[in-house]
Amino acid sequence: MYHVLSAHQFDRQQLDELFKTAEIMEFNARKGGLNLLGGKIMAALFFEPSTRTRFSFESAMMRLGGTVISTENAAQFSSAIKGETLEDSIRVISSYADVIVMRHNEVGAAMRAAKVATVPVINAGDGAGEHPTQSLLDLYTIQKELGRVDGLKVAMVGDLTYGRTVHSLAYLLAKYQGVKLYFVAPESCPIPEKVKAFLDEKGVEYFEETDLEKVAEIVDVLYMTRIQKERFPTQSDYERAAGVYKIDPPLLDRMKSNSIILHPLPRAGEIAPEVDDDPRAAYFRQAKNGVYIRMALLAYCLEEGMVSRDTTALESLLK
Amino acid sequence: MYHVLSAHQFDRQQLDELFKTAEIMEFNARKGGLNLLGGKIMAALFFEPSTRTRFSFESAMMRLGGTVISTENAAQFSSAIKGETLEDSIRVISSYADVIVMRHNEVGAAMRAAKVATVPVINAGDGAGEHPTQSLLDLYTIQKELGRVDGLKVAMVGDLTYGRTVHSLAYLLAKYQGVKLYFVAPESCPIPEKVKAFLDEKGVEYFEETDLEKVAEIVDVLYMTRIQKERFPTQSDYERAAGVYKIDPPLLDRMKSNSIILHPLPRAGEIAPEVDDDPRAAYFRQAKNGVYIRMALLAYCLEEGMVSRDTTALESLLK
Amino acid sequence: MYHVLSAHQFDRQQLDELFKTAEIMEFNARKGGLNLLGGKIMAALFFEPSTRTRFSFESAMMRLGGTVISTENAAQFSSAIKGETLEDSIRVISSYADVIVMRHNEVGAAMRAAKVATVPVINAGDGAGEHPTQSLLDLYTIQKELGRVDGLKVAMVGDLTYGRTVHSLAYLLAKYQGVKLYFVAPESCPIPEKVKAFLDEKGVEYFEETDLEKVAEIVDVLYMTRIQKERFPTQSDYERAAGVYKIDPPLLDRMKSNSIILHPLPRAGEIAPEVDDDPRAAYFRQAKNGVYIRMALLAYCLEEGMVSRDTTALESLLK
């Protein structure tokens, strides 16, 4: 069985292949789509709503000629009243679909699903765990926009404690040569020790900074993230953190001409709308790339390609 | 970019063309559909639920061979928590779909969406603003049922203050020759001054009436609307307005044999079920016509046809 | 018009034909699906959520090349605020789809829908009424797993008062020769008198038992059902009933080697997970069979086959 559970599961060569496939997918999508997955059904099984991610996957499946059965209300499957386990739900849905794209609120849910599924499972975010397709599309965007990843200086800005996309991207970047990371976070949400320990182990250079202006001048990629109100105990705690870092035209002026700004979206106020028209504002192109990366991953899952792994192998890999 | 934002944007010739196209669509739909939009994706982006309208659009898209990504819970895109603007949501969804059908609770939302979308936007109702596809299908039904629109006597009955479909239909009818309008409303919800001013300007004859029986005897079209409970401050205010006008068999007996009864549906009690089997009861045929009109509009949007307008041109047209 | 409203509507010969068709459907589905219903639209109209049943139907439709418009929020169609009748909703949706699959919370809703629909209606559960496709797939699984239905000993275990799938399955089994039924229920939820009266009338042998171990040793089919918490007045009433009967490895040891365990799912704690890997645990295969049965039924409805009945005939048949 062929699952996409974690950004960790891909090695450098597989990433190169994936990105090449994504480019081919884009080419085909622009020419009106493919019928590679005609007759195949994707189940979008969302235990919490995320219309953006769901739409991106559904669009990818349809661009490949497949069809979709979909719910953002999957919690009722294993609701308190009915008391079904996630494992039972997944076994049943394996009968209805050829691939399961799952969003869940609990860490490790994707692995649990993969262990019992009789069809491939793609993790579309499991709580504070992983959201591998997001970090893959982030990385793909960097490579596509700048032509390479090796040797780049990448700043990550915002809530670095809770932002799982930031952690996963950091792990992925560690697979490349000579990347330097700059973590710029409000005092209340620094990059976690475990991420730093990982980077230390891999020999990746990183810096914890507080001065965004200084960092903006030197980096190739400014990866901005939202400060999530729901993570903070009080409104004033939130506002203190949220107001600290912002990309606006003056900051943009300091950035290199061939740098890019990324954001997983949605944004709150951390990037001023005036920035949108600048060619370095790559975040909407980044969203679009998500469709091509997901097309590539769906094709791999259903065509028995590169991502194949049994869950035992995956599990030990992800330890 | 090619948007359908307002009933106003169509001139008489374009309406004639649209209705001809809708007829062709009906012919093809009955023969099993078309593959005109094979490979295309429609996003149904509903910020408030309206399953009826959503189903009608989705059915239209599928009858044309296209596919659909869909939500009735779009409010979470730009929710208070996540704080995303409508503009950002639309930019992202432009990456996932080839056309966006949007329902929103705020006047002007469709225009805001069209300004930033990189794909066509179809307004499926924006609050108290417009619901152009509804009034186009109303008008199409009149033309199809009676063979013409010029010279017809059309009564509009019910809540004429808040009923946006009534206003839009009145504006559309003003594009035809020799139409006479009869407004029949409870005291508490008369036709607004601005509609009357518009008709005066266009030289359209209209009459404000209170006696439905008298009006029913002379008109060709009786356009009935629901008194919307949610518009009234108290239950008793509502009941006073709601009970006033009703189509029942005795009233039906007064109507001309070649007249028709329309209703945008859903109805509450304002048309008795006994009326349904009369050939003049055209409201279910009217609902069906909605699919053909929407097929025609989707085809225009995606085939770069008649409805093309840049938003600046549209905006000044709609002033 | 061709409706699937009740398990009662099928005679023995039609059941045989249906099961043969379901097998052909499975064969084709495994080979990548059929395009039998290309261009056809199924409306999944769920007045209460049941993602499992909805997915099963949608998957069936897509495996046949058809497309789907879908809602689990159909209650708003006929909501108190808008006040629309079920009949009006169905008439309108008949314009959007080629077949309507409806789940409703009121007994008899499916029949009401069929009476006004201009397309086939399939009952996907109407409150405490029927859920015919569930009992058909149950029966199909028995026949497929054991090669026959005639002469089998079938135990039904759990909440036999409220479990509509149990009642419908009992009615269906009564169409076969020499079937013996064993009802094993907690004191608080015995099999209803009307089911027993029906079986008496048909000359079907049945036994009310309390000792599951003894019954397990002799039956060919153990049909387990969930005790539904929401049916019991207090938590302790529920717990008293829920804990009584459970399939676990010791009980499994007592069962015949060529027997099977069925369950309509979801299960709560009434079948231990350790049982899942036993070849007699047929409940996940049963879920999968649901897709093939529904493919067969959709094909019949839309291809004007065996299930054709006018509602008057159906109604008198179901009296």
Side-chain angles (χ1 to χ4, degrees):
Chain A
M1 204 36 52
Y2 317 106
H3 309 290
V4 178
L5 303 184
S6 162
H8 286 288
Q9 79 186 73
F10 298 91
D11 63 26
R12 172 68 191 269
Q13 191 196 324
Q14 290 173 325
L15 291 170
D16 287 347
E17 251 183 77
L18 175 65
F19 295 166
K20 246 177 256 165
T21 309
E23 264 183 73
I24 296 168
M25 291 300 174
E26 175 166 2
F27 178 78
N28 281 290
R30 289 188 188 280
K31 284 180 53 188
L34 281 164
N35 200 29
L36 195 64
L37 303 184
K40 300 287 185 188
I41 300 174
M42 178 188 104
L45 189 65
F46 279 57
F47 286 81
E48 55 180 25
S50 173
T51 308
R52 184 187 312 270
T53 300
R54 183 169 65 82
F55 270 19
S56 178
F57 270 109
E58 295 186 2
S59 178
M61 187 66 181
M62 291 172 181
R63 294 283 185 220
L64 290 166
T67 58
V68 174
I69 55 179
S70 184
T71 183
E72 288 197 335
N73 192 17
Q76 49 147 313
F77 265 108
S78 44
S79 68
I81 292 174
K82 294 202 169 173
E84 188 175 44
T85 62
L86 173 63
E87 281 78 4
D88 274 17
S89 302
I90 293 295
R91 276 190 196 97
V92 169
I93 293 164
S94 291
S95 300
Y96 302 156
D98 302 297
V99 58
I100 297 172
V101 171
M102 187 176 87
R103 170 79 143 224
H104 202 280
N105 48 316
E106 287 171 28
V107 178
M111 176 60 81
R112 285 171 56 203
K115 282 183 178 174
V116 298
T118 56
V119 297
V121 171
I122 301 181
N123 183 3
D126 54 347
E130 291 229 32
H131 188 5
T133 61
Q134 176 68 47
S135 34
L136 290 169
L137 78 88
D138 292 342
L139 186 63
Y140 175 56
T141 304
I142 294 174
Q143 153 118 5
K144 196 174 154 187
E145 294 275 334
L146 300 177
R148 65 185 172 111
V149 179
D150 291 329
L152 291 182
K153 295 190 176 72
V154 179
M156 297 178 174
V157 186
D159 172 0
L160 302 187
T161 301
Y162 299 107
R164 69 182 164 193
T165 62
V166 160
H167 306 166
S168 294
L169 182 57
Y171 296 144
L172 279 176
L173 287 169
K175 295 174 193 281
Y176 289 79
Q177 301 302 313
V179 168
K180 287 184 189 169
L181 301 180
Y182 299 80
F183 299 119
V184 186
E187 218 169 77
S188 55
C189 36
I191 191 82
E193 288 305 320
K194 65 162 191 173
V195 176
K196 292 195 283 183
F198 179 90
L199 296 173
D200 285 334
E201 195 197 314
K202 298 286 176 188
V204 177
E205 253 189 292
Y206 63 87
F207 309 90
E208 292 187 81
E209 303 283 350
T210 54
D211 184 346
L212 178 59
E213 299 195 353
K214 206 187 74 184
V215 168
E217 287 173 3
I218 58 167
V219 296
D220 302 295
V221 178
L222 198 52
Y223 192 95
M224 201 74 189
T225 65
R226 182 169 57 94
I227 302 287
Q228 302 194 37
K229 197 187 277 184
E230 57 272 32
R231 307 289 191 193
F232 289 84
T234 72
Q235 176 72 14
S236 69
D237 283 338
Y238 163 67
E239 279 165 11
R240 206 170 314 125
V244 179
Y245 297 116
K246 189 169 170 169
I247 304 183
D248 52 14
L251 191 90
L252 194 63
D253 285 344
R254 294 172 173 268
M255 292 181 66
K256 297 200 290 186
S257 64
N258 61 341
S259 62
I260 55 170
I261 300 164
L262 299 182
H263 193 298
L265 301 179
R267 64 176 156 179
E270 64 275 4
I271 302 178
E274 295 84 351
V275 172
D276 295 357
D277 291 332
D278 192 279
R280 289 166 290 181
Y283 30 91
F284 292 118
R285 298 193 295 273
Q286 179 187 4
K288 193 157 200 162
N289 288 334
V291 177
Y292 309 130
I293 282 289
R294 286 166 181 135
M295 288 175 77
L297 291 169
L298 284 165
Y300 284 148
C301 285
L302 287 164
E303 294 289 298
E304 317 220 339
M306 173 182 92
V307 294
S308 73
R309 286 279 191 289
D310 62 55
T311 53
T312 318
L314 266 179
E315 211 168 16
S316 73
L317 185 75
L318 304 185
K319 276 264 159 61
Chain B
M1 204 38 48
Y2 316 107
H3 309 289
V4 178
L5 302 184
S6 163
H8 286 287
Q9 80 186 71
F10 298 90
D11 64 27
R12 173 68 190 269
Q13 189 196 324
Q14 289 172 325
L15 292 170
D16 287 347
E17 249 183 79
L18 175 66
F19 294 167
K20 247 177 255 165
T21 308
E23 264 183 74
I24 295 169
M25 290 299 172
E26 175 165 3
F27 178 78
N28 281 290
R30 289 188 188 279
K31 285 181 52 186
L34 280 165
N35 200 29
L36 195 64
L37 302 185
K40 300 287 186 189
I41 299 174
M42 177 186 107
L45 188 66
F46 280 57
F47 286 81
E48 55 180 25
S50 173
T51 309
R52 183 185 313 270
T53 300
R54 182 169 66 82
F55 271 19
S56 178
F57 271 108
E58 294 186 2
S59 179
M61 187 65 182
M62 290 172 183
R63 295 281 185 224
L64 290 167
T67 58
V68 174
I69 56 179
S70 184
T71 184
E72 287 197 335
N73 193 17
Q76 47 148 314
F77 266 109
S78 44
S79 69
I81 292 174
K82 294 204 170 170
E84 189 175 46
T85 61
L86 173 64
E87 281 77 4
D88 273 17
S89 302
I90 293 295
R91 275 189 198 100
V92 169
I93 293 164
S94 292
S95 299
Y96 302 156
D98 301 298
V99 57
I100 297 171
V101 171
M102 188 178 86
R103 170 79 142 226
H104 202 282
N105 48 316
E106 286 171 30
V107 179
M111 177 58 82
R112 283 172 55 204
K115 282 184 178 174
V116 296
T118 56
V119 298
V121 171
I122 301 181
N123 182 3
D126 55 346
E130 291 230 31
H131 187 4
T133 61
Q134 176 68 49
S135 35
L136 289 169
L137 77 88
D138 294 341
L139 185 64
Y140 175 57
T141 303
I142 294 172
Q143 154 117 4
K144 196 174 155 188
E145 294 275 333
L146 300 177
R148 64 184 172 112
V149 178
D150 291 329
L152 292 182
K153 294 189 175 74
V154 179
M156 297 178 177
V157 186
D159 171 0
L160 303 187
T161 302
Y162 299 106
R164 68 181 165 192
T165 62
V166 160
H167 305 166
S168 293
L169 182 56
Y171 296 144
L172 278 177
L173 287 169
K175 295 175 193 282
Y176 289 79
Q177 300 302 314
V179 168
K180 287 183 188 169
L181 301 180
Y182 299 79
F183 298 119
V184 186
E187 216 168 78
S188 55
C189 37
I191 191 83
E193 288 305 319
K194 66 164 190 171
V195 177
K196 294 195 283 184
F198 178 91
L199 296 172
D200 284 336
E201 195 197 313
K202 298 287 176 185
V204 178
E205 252 188 293
Y206 64 88
F207 310 89
E208 291 185 84
E209 302 284 349
T210 54
D211 185 347
L212 178 59
E213 298 193 353
K214 206 188 75 188
V215 168
E217 288 173 1
I218 58 167
V219 294
D220 304 293
V221 178
L222 199 52
Y223 192 94
M224 200 74 189
T225 65
R226 180 168 58 92
I227 302 287
Q228 303 194 37
K229 195 188 280 184
E230 59 272 30
R231 306 290 192 193
F232 289 83
T234 72
Q235 177 71 14
S236 68
D237 283 339
Y238 163 68
E239 279 164 12
R240 205 170 315 125
V244 180
Y245 297 115
K246 187 170 170 166
I247 303 184
D248 53 15
L251 192 90
L252 194 63
D253 286 344
R254 294 172 173 268
M255 291 180 65
K256 299 199 289 187
S257 65
N258 60 343
S259 62
I260 56 169
I261 301 164
L262 297 183
H263 193 298
L265 303 178
R267 64 177 157 179
E270 63 275 5
I271 302 179
E274 296 84 352
V275 173
D276 295 356
D277 291 332
D278 192 279
R280 290 167 291 184
Y283 29 92
F284 292 118
R285 298 193 295 273
Q286 179 186 4
K288 192 157 201 161
N289 289 335
V291 176
Y292 309 131
I293 282 289
R294 286 167 181 133
M295 286 175 77
L297 291 170
L298 283 166
Y300 284 148
C301 284
L302 286 164
E303 295 289 298
E304 318 221 337
M306 172 182 95
V307 295
S308 73
R309 284 280 190 287
D310 63 56
T311 52
T312 316
L314 266 178
E315 209 167 18
S316 74
L317 184 75
L318 305 183
K319 276 264 160 63
Chain C
M1 205 38 50
Y2 317 107
H3 308 290
V4 178
L5 302 183
S6 163
H8 287 287
Q9 81 186 70
F10 298 91
D11 64 27
R12 172 68 190 269
Q13 190 197 323
Q14 290 172 326
L15 292 170
D16 288 345
E17 248 183 81
L18 175 65
F19 295 165
K20 246 177 256 164
T21 309
E23 265 183 72
I24 296 168
M25 291 300 174
E26 176 167 1
F27 177 78
N28 282 290
R30 288 187 189 281
K31 284 181 53 186
L34 281 164
N35 200 28
L36 197 65
L37 302 185
K40 299 288 186 188
I41 299 174
M42 178 186 106
L45 189 64
F46 279 57
F47 286 81
E48 54 182 22
S50 174
T51 309
R52 185 185 313 270
T53 301
R54 181 169 66 82
F55 270 19
S56 179
F57 270 109
E58 293 185 2
S59 178
M61 188 64 182
M62 290 172 184
R63 295 283 186 222
L64 290 166
T67 57
V68 174
I69 56 178
S70 185
T71 184
E72 287 199 335
N73 192 17
Q76 49 147 314
F77 265 109
S78 44
S79 69
I81 291 174
K82 294 203 169 172
E84 188 175 45
T85 62
L86 174 63
E87 282 76 3
D88 274 16
S89 302
I90 293 295
R91 275 189 197 98
V92 169
I93 293 164
S94 292
S95 300
Y96 302 156
D98 301 298
V99 58
I100 296 172
V101 171
M102 187 177 86
R103 169 80 142 225
H104 203 280
N105 49 316
E106 286 171 28
V107 179
M111 177 59 82
R112 285 171 56 202
K115 283 184 175 171
V116 298
T118 56
V119 298
V121 171
I122 301 181
N123 182 3
D126 56 346
E130 291 229 32
H131 187 6
T133 62
Q134 175 69 48
S135 35
L136 290 169
L137 76 90
D138 293 341
L139 186 64
Y140 174 57
T141 303
I142 294 173
Q143 154 117 5
K144 196 174 156 188
E145 294 274 335
L146 300 176
R148 65 188 172 109
V149 178
D150 290 329
L152 292 182
K153 294 188 176 73
V154 179
M156 296 178 175
V157 186
D159 171 0
L160 303 186
T161 302
Y162 300 106
R164 70 183 164 190
T165 63
V166 160
H167 306 165
S168 295
L169 181 57
Y171 295 145
L172 278 177
L173 287 168
K175 296 174 192 281
Y176 289 79
Q177 301 301 313
V179 168
K180 287 184 188 169
L181 300 181
Y182 299 79
F183 298 120
V184 186
E187 219 169 74
S188 54
C189 37
I191 192 83
E193 289 305 319
K194 66 162 191 173
V195 176
K196 293 195 285 184
F198 178 90
L199 296 172
D200 284 335
E201 195 197 314
K202 299 287 176 185
V204 177
E205 251 189 294
Y206 64 88
F207 310 90
E208 292 186 83
E209 303 285 349
T210 55
D211 184 345
L212 178 58
E213 299 194 353
K214 207 187 75 188
V215 168
E217 288 172 2
I218 58 168
V219 295
D220 303 295
V221 178
L222 198 52
Y223 191 95
M224 201 75 191
T225 65
R226 184 168 55 93
I227 303 287
Q228 303 192 38
K229 196 186 279 183
E230 59 273 31
R231 306 292 191 192
F232 289 83
T234 72
Q235 176 72 12
S236 67
D237 283 339
Y238 163 68
E239 279 165 11
R240 206 171 313 125
V244 179
Y245 298 116
K246 186 169 172 167
I247 304 185
D248 52 16
L251 192 90
L252 193 63
D253 285 344
R254 295 172 173 270
M255 292 181 65
K256 299 200 289 187
S257 65
N258 59 344
S259 62
I260 54 169
I261 301 164
L262 298 183
H263 193 299
L265 302 179
R267 63 176 157 180
E270 63 275 3
I271 302 179
E274 295 85 350
V275 173
D276 295 356
D277 290 332
D278 193 278
R280 290 166 291 183
Y283 29 91
F284 292 119
R285 298 193 293 274
Q286 179 186 4
K288 191 156 200 160
N289 288 334
V291 177
Y292 310 130
I293 282 289
R294 288 170 179 131
M295 287 175 77
L297 291 169
L298 284 165
Y300 284 149
C301 284
L302 287 165
E303 294 289 297
E304 318 221 338
M306 173 181 94
V307 295
S308 74
R309 286 279 190 289
D310 64 53
T311 53
T312 317
L314 264 180
E315 209 167 18
S316 73
L317 184 75
L318 304 184
K319 275 262 160 61

